[in-house]
Amino acid sequence: MKGVSDERINAPVRGPDEIFEASRLTGDATREDLESIRRRTSVYVYEAPVRVWHWVNALAITILVVTGYLIASPLPSMQIGEATDQFVMGYIRFAHFAAGVVMSVGFFGRIYWAFVGNRHAWQMFYIPIFNKRYWKEFVFELRWYFFLEEEPKKYIGHNPLAHAAMFTFITLGITFMMITGWALYAEGAGQGGVTDSLFGWVLGYVQNSQRLHTLHHLGMWAIVIFAIIHIYAAVREDVMSRQSMVSTMISGHRTFKDDRIE
Amino acid sequence: MSDIETFYDVMRRQGITRRSFMKFCSLTAAALGLGPSFVPKIAEAMETKPRTPVVWVHGLECTCCSESFIRSAHPLAKDVVLSMISLDYDDTLMAAAGHAAEAAFEETIAKYKGNYILAVEGNPPLNEDGMFCITGGKPFVEKLRHAAEGAKAIISWGACASYGCVQAAAPNPTRATPVHKVITDKPIIKVPGCPPIAEVMTGVITYMLTFDRMPELDRQGRPAMFYSQRIHDKCYRRPHFDAGQFVEHWDDENARKGYCLYKMGCKGPTTYNACSTVRWNGGVSFPIQSGHGCIGCSEDGFWDQGSFYDRLTTIKQFGIEATADKIGWTATGLVGAGVAAHAAVSVLKRAQKKNEEA
Ligand code: HEM
Ligand code: SF4
Ligand code: SF4
């Protein structure tokens, strides 16, 4: 392999066939397998609150996208009963607002965890834009995605590209959706209410509610596009990069597939 | 100030009976959402307080606000308020014309300096030093500034004065500008609509004349009593909206049944006005009741939001006109295709590498 140093983090002291007795019991462990499990390392990255938040948030966003789309382009008219006995649009809007509350509360919980959690919990909320090295690594990761690098680097938290995407689409994106969403909610809840006193200024700023709807609606598409890229990148990195991805968000542990430095 | 008549004096002079006057007071109280206990208060105020004069000026406009105003269905309010105003100055409605009218204007604003309400219909164009709108031989913007100097408060009638309306629509060649962007040092009440509802107009004026203060305004400077709710919030078709029963095409069965016009691009959900409560032409009907969606005539920049039959704003930044969904689906399609291609190349690359290693 070109350009990759062959230094070992931990040089073998004993051969693999002398250890891992239990693994050898079933008879399917080859010498390579045993060598591999000895070299693999893992780091505990995502603490439980972060993992729970991730999946609750993912579910809330899925519901918000589906119901939001149906609010904008409602289902074909239904004739279940008289209008008074039928509440199709009402339930869809209810689901949207309920998921909106879950997402909003969750996001504040996540911000709290950024302060009290481990150092990785903080990563999503800032980008080291003045750090030259960050941009260098950003370009490196871009090159990896353009198939211009042979092998990616190891990252414990987000890689620089994912870091930027996470900050833009989740930290800023969700904030934008919350502000516009609650401002829309305040319109329905009525002037003088709690949501109006908290978010009424948004409509005062955008002036026309139609523009506010349009902005909130465009925001949905930004989130949809992010979700596609996010899921693809997570699976691809899981397969092609040097560390685990999908399982990390389940167990919290980032496992590494080799013990080489860089 | 003692030489200024009270409202009551003016009304009596106009031949209005005491009985009619009391009726006017109770109807006004009802229109403003006040309890019966306010009727004597209104009556007393009108009997004792010197009348607040109103000066009404006209800029770039179609005069639909005046047309609406003089049709105020509540006939007494129309007679009373109109007679009160025509005593002072309104170049469209007053009897005097030409130099006499201009003289009356100067006299009114000099005599009532600091006490009159300036009602502005239309707006001033600012390009070419305001030459696109000349009244009395001078650019309207000069007259507006002049009249605003001694005004106690300003009412911006209609979408033109409040937001700019059609003459300010892109590309706005004359740079027609709403009143609050020209006059910045006076309290301004916006009464938008194209035109505003007659009873809303008379209601606002009566409130100010009676109570001698501004009505409560919302964040955009509109009287909260008429503009604090959307058409959608009080629409009688709202149960069909909540049920998910929509007109799918013009003239389909659902249209005949009077279902919700949301899918026909009704802008009721984004429009603040009193149409669904006060209605038009003396409470006879309003657009949605006649089977057509709201076009959002009382909202900021309503000519520049794209089609009247689209709930969301048309986005022109892409060269062609597009909707949020067109852009969204296209972008999602492109990204999806990009991801698929990237995945394919990744697989090939990996296979190639395996081969090399093997
Ligand atoms: C990922 C987050 C979200 C997405 C993707 C999303 C999506 C959407 C979409 C597409 C619409 C339709 C807009 C239109 O065309 O008029 C909508 C409407 C709305 N959303 Fe959201 N939304 C999100 C978050 C929120 C949040 C946090 C709230 C706060 C409660 C919220 C409240 C609303 C309200 C009140 C409406 C207007 C409903 C109506 O007009 O009947 N949304 N949303
Ligand atoms: S017709 Fe328009 S204003 Fe009335 S409920 Fe339907 S969308 Fe709302
Ligand atoms: S229904 Fe809508 S468009 Fe029609 S007059 Fe009222 S605010 Fe204007």
Side-chain angles (χ1 to χ4, degrees):
Chain A
M1 233 173 263
K2 267 190 300 185
V4 175
S5 120
D6 202 25
E7 271 178 85
R8 300 270 181 244
I9 292 170
N10 48 346
V13 181
R14 288 183 290 165
D17 33 0
E18 295 165 38
I19 51 176
F20 298 126
E21 248 183 272
S23 307
R24 281 186 277 117
L25 274 178
T26 50
D28 63 335
T30 63
R31 206 190 137 85
E32 286 75 40
D33 289 344
L34 296 172
E35 178 67 18
S36 168
I37 58 173
R38 199 173 55 87
R39 284 190 320 219
R40 281 181 187 223
T41 49
S42 91
V43 178
Y44 187 51
V45 186
Y46 300 127
E47 295 155 295
V50 175
R51 283 175 278 144
V52 170
W53 170 76
H54 174 272
W55 295 110
V56 169
N57 197 40
L59 180 69
I61 288 180
T62 310
I63 295 171
L64 282 162
V65 168
V66 171
T67 54
Y69 189 83
L70 289 178
I71 289 170
S73 312
L75 297 164
S77 294
M78 278 169 235
Q79 193 66 62
I80 303 166
E82 277 301 319
T84 39
D85 301 324
Q86 188 179 321
F87 203 55
V88 175
M89 199 64 180
Y91 288 130
I92 290 173
R93 291 174 72 243
F94 175 79
H96 191 81
F97 306 154
V101 171
V102 169
M103 188 184 82
S104 306
V105 172
F107 192 65
F108 280 101
R110 182 64 182 79
I111 291 174
Y112 168 75
W113 198 255
F115 290 101
V116 300
N118 65 18
R119 283 183 56 108
H120 306 294
W122 182 238
Q123 194 185 6
M124 196 180 79
F125 294 95
Y126 78 102
I127 296 187
I129 45 171
F130 297 114
N131 186 335
K132 271 205 187 119
R133 182 65 199 267
Y134 170 79
W135 294 111
K136 215 181 130 224
E137 294 299 330
F138 183 92
V139 171
F140 177 90
E141 187 69 9
L142 257 184
R143 286 174 57 84
W144 156 243
Y145 271 94
F146 279 103
F147 307 103
L148 297 172
E149 293 293 340
E150 276 290 321
E151 191 179 51
K153 295 187 177 169
K154 283 179 170 178
Y155 302 102
I156 294 167
H158 302 301
N159 73 51
L161 203 55
H163 187 173
M166 221 53 82
F167 178 81
T168 313
F169 288 96
I170 296 297
T171 308
L172 298 184
I174 286 191
T175 305
F176 177 81
M177 291 313 276
M178 283 194 323
I179 289 175
T180 52
W182 282 108
L184 288 172
Y185 188 86
E187 288 191 69
Q191 291 184 4
V194 178
T195 42
D196 180 63
S197 30
L198 289 175
F199 293 95
W201 59 270
V202 183
L203 181 61
Y205 179 71
V206 184
Q207 291 277 315
N208 187 338
S209 166
Q210 192 180 336
R211 265 180 231 139
L212 189 57
H213 274 263
T214 308
L215 289 171
H216 190 67
H217 197 116
L218 284 171
M220 171 188 78
W221 286 112
I223 301 251
V224 166
I225 287 167
F226 166 76
I228 296 173
I229 296 173
H230 174 66
I231 294 168
Y232 169 66
V235 172
R236 181 181 187 269
E237 288 296 284
D238 208 325
V239 177
M240 314 237 330
S241 81
R242 294 162 65 185
Q243 59 252 317
S244 66
M245 285 283 149
V246 181
S247 62
T248 310
M249 209 26 107
I250 298 171
S251 69
H253 290 275
R254 175 95 64 218
T255 50
F256 295 87
K257 302 176 191 172
D258 62 67
D259 63 348
R260 279 175 288 108
I261 295 164
E262 285 297 77
Chain B
M1 285 295 267
S2 55
D3 60 325
I4 305 173
E5 299 167 287
T6 65
F7 293 110
Y8 185 61
D9 294 337
V10 177
M11 289 183 198
R12 290 309 296 257
R13 196 152 48 68
Q14 301 275 314
I16 288 161
T17 63
R18 168 114 195 131
R19 186 182 160 78
S20 298
F21 169 70
M22 288 313 291
K23 258 196 198 164
F24 167 74
C25 292
S26 45
L27 283 168
T28 303
L32 299 176
L34 302 171
S37 62
F38 275 89
V39 177
K41 282 190 191 155
I42 293 177
E44 200 203 322
M46 298 197 106
E47 278 168 356
T48 53
K49 275 196 205 162
R51 188 173 56 87
T52 312
V54 176
V55 173
W56 189 315
V57 295
H58 300 257
L60 273 192
E61 60 168 46
C62 73
T63 320
C64 79
C65 299
S66 292
E67 290 288 343
S68 173
F69 188 75
I70 58 173
R71 277 164 188 75
S72 178
H74 179 337
L76 211 51
K78 177 198 76 180
D79 286 347
V80 171
V81 178
L82 199 54
S83 50
M84 289 193 295
I85 288 165
S86 61
L87 286 169
D88 301 307
Y89 179 84
D90 181 332
D91 42 6
T92 308
L93 296 173
M94 69 200 290
H99 292 298
E102 291 315 307
F105 172 70
E106 291 299 340
E107 197 192 311
T108 312
I109 61 172
K111 185 170 164 198
Y112 300 120
K113 198 164 184 354
N115 283 308
Y116 61 90
I117 294 169
L118 175 66
V120 187
E121 184 176 347
N123 57 29
L126 300 185
N127 269 358
E128 311 282 351
D129 298 323
M131 298 303 262
F132 291 103
C133 182
I134 304 284
T135 65
K138 273 189 261 164
F140 173 65
V141 62
E142 287 176 19
K143 181 174 181 175
L144 175 65
R145 287 209 177 98
H146 181 42
E149 253 166 48
K152 188 162 64 172
I154 297 177
I155 302 179
S156 288
W157 282 146
C160 300
S162 304
Y163 300 126
C165 202
V166 67
Q167 61 273 42
N172 191 1
T174 67
R175 201 147 75 85
T177 309
V179 174
H180 64 274
K181 294 200 178 147
V182 178
I183 310 293
T184 48
D185 57 351
K186 296 279 169 181
I188 296 184
I189 304 160
K190 293 181 195 153
V191 186
C194 191
I197 303 169
E199 285 74 13
V200 168
M201 300 176 78
T202 49
V204 169
I205 286 223
T206 320
Y207 184 97
M208 293 177 68
L209 297 186
T210 319
F211 295 110
D212 199 19
R213 62 159 185 255
M214 309 257 290
E216 188 199 337
L217 302 181
D218 71 359
R219 279 193 192 76
Q220 299 197 37
R222 305 173 292 198
M225 57 190 158
F226 297 114
Y227 292 91
S228 60
Q229 281 183 316
R230 302 166 298 178
I231 305 294
H232 189 61
D233 293 319
K234 284 282 187 292
C235 177
Y236 77 104
R237 298 194 183 204
R238 181 64 187 264
H240 291 298
F241 172 85
D242 290 331
Q245 296 174 328
F246 304 101
V247 174
E248 304 280 347
H249 304 284
W250 296 114
D251 289 332
D252 67 0
E253 184 55 27
N254 293 359
R256 275 184 282 281
K257 284 185 185 154
Y259 283 0
C260 168
L261 292 155
Y262 189 72
K263 286 189 180 175
M264 297 288 102
C266 176
K267 299 193 193 208
T270 56
T271 305
Y272 288 81
N273 206 338
C275 306
S276 49
T277 43
V278 176
R279 307 195 185 200
W280 284 85
N281 301 321
V284 172
S285 182
F286 74 113
I288 291 164
Q289 196 171 339
S290 323
H292 192 285
C294 167
I295 60 172
C297 78
S298 56
E299 285 296 315
D300 181 29
F302 89 101
W303 290 98
D304 288 329
Q305 306 298 316
S307 165
F308 286 163
Y309 301 93
D310 198 338
R311 243 176 15 81
L312 295 183
T313 304
T314 303
I315 297 152
K316 302 204 180 78
Q317 275 72 6
F318 289 80
I320 44 160
E321 302 207 340
T323 64
D325 271 340
K326 256 190 230 160
I327 293 169
W329 278 118
T330 311
T332 306
L334 289 176
V335 169
V339 162
H342 199 269
V345 176
S346 303
V347 170
L348 288 177
K349 268 271 183 183
R350 211 174 157 86
Q352 189 188 15
K353 204 161 122 189
K354 284 241 172 75
N355 277 345
E356 277 169 13
E357 275 168 11

